[in-house]
Every structure is written in structure tokens, then in C-alpha cells.
Amino acid sequence: MKSAIKDLLEKKVKMSESDKAPKIEKINQYIEEKPAYYKVLAESMKDDRNPDWEPLEKAFRDIILRTGF
């Protein structure tokens, strides 16, 4: 992938902003596949979010009070 990105950047340097270049299949394939991969990965992970916002709220209030807002 790094070589495909390097090639793309080399081409873009030589082009004006409005020029269009042919698609680079390896990059397009990556763009199409990775969101689906990460969606499946994220959905398979355990939800470890902490629903208790009080410590964060307290820190926020302390900062606000110290800065005089």
C-alpha cells in the first residue's frame, strides 16, 4: 500500500488541483474494504464504555470554577 500511496503523491505533485488521474485499483480496493472490516471488528468488541460521567463532570466543573468562567 505504501508504494501505491507514494505513486499517487508523485502524480498529484505534477498535476494541477483540477486534473483527474486514473484510479489506482489497489487504493480503491483498500478504501472499499477497510470500513467493512473495521465495522465488523468494532461490533465484535466488548462494550467497555463507562456510563458514569460524574468524575469527568466534576473535573469539568473544577476547571470552570478555577478559571473564572
Side-chain angles (χ1 to χ4, degrees):
M1 181 57 64
K2 287 183 180 184
S3 65
I5 299 294
K6 183 179 176 186
D7 291 344
L8 174 63
L9 292 174
E10 288 173 359
K11 289 177 185 176
K12 290 297 286 179
V13 166
K14 298 174 186 172
M15 299 168 58
S16 73
E17 190 63 34
S18 62
D19 287 345
K20 292 184 178 181
K23 292 180 180 180
I24 299 173
E25 191 55 41
K26 186 173 185 176
I27 295 174
N28 282 359
Q29 182 178 359
Y30 179 87
I31 291 170
E32 290 172 4
E33 291 175 357
K34 284 303 174 178
Y37 166 78
Y38 286 116
K39 183 176 189 297
V40 169
L41 180 64
E43 289 172 349
S44 70
M45 296 172 84
K46 179 183 171 224
D47 184 356
D48 64 349
R49 291 177 286 186
N50 182 352
D52 182 11
W53 287 83
E54 188 53 37
L56 184 59
E57 291 286 340
K58 182 182 180 324
F60 177 74
R61 287 190 298 270
D62 290 346
I63 291 168
I64 296 298
L65 291 173
R66 275 187 273 138
T67 59
F69 279 102

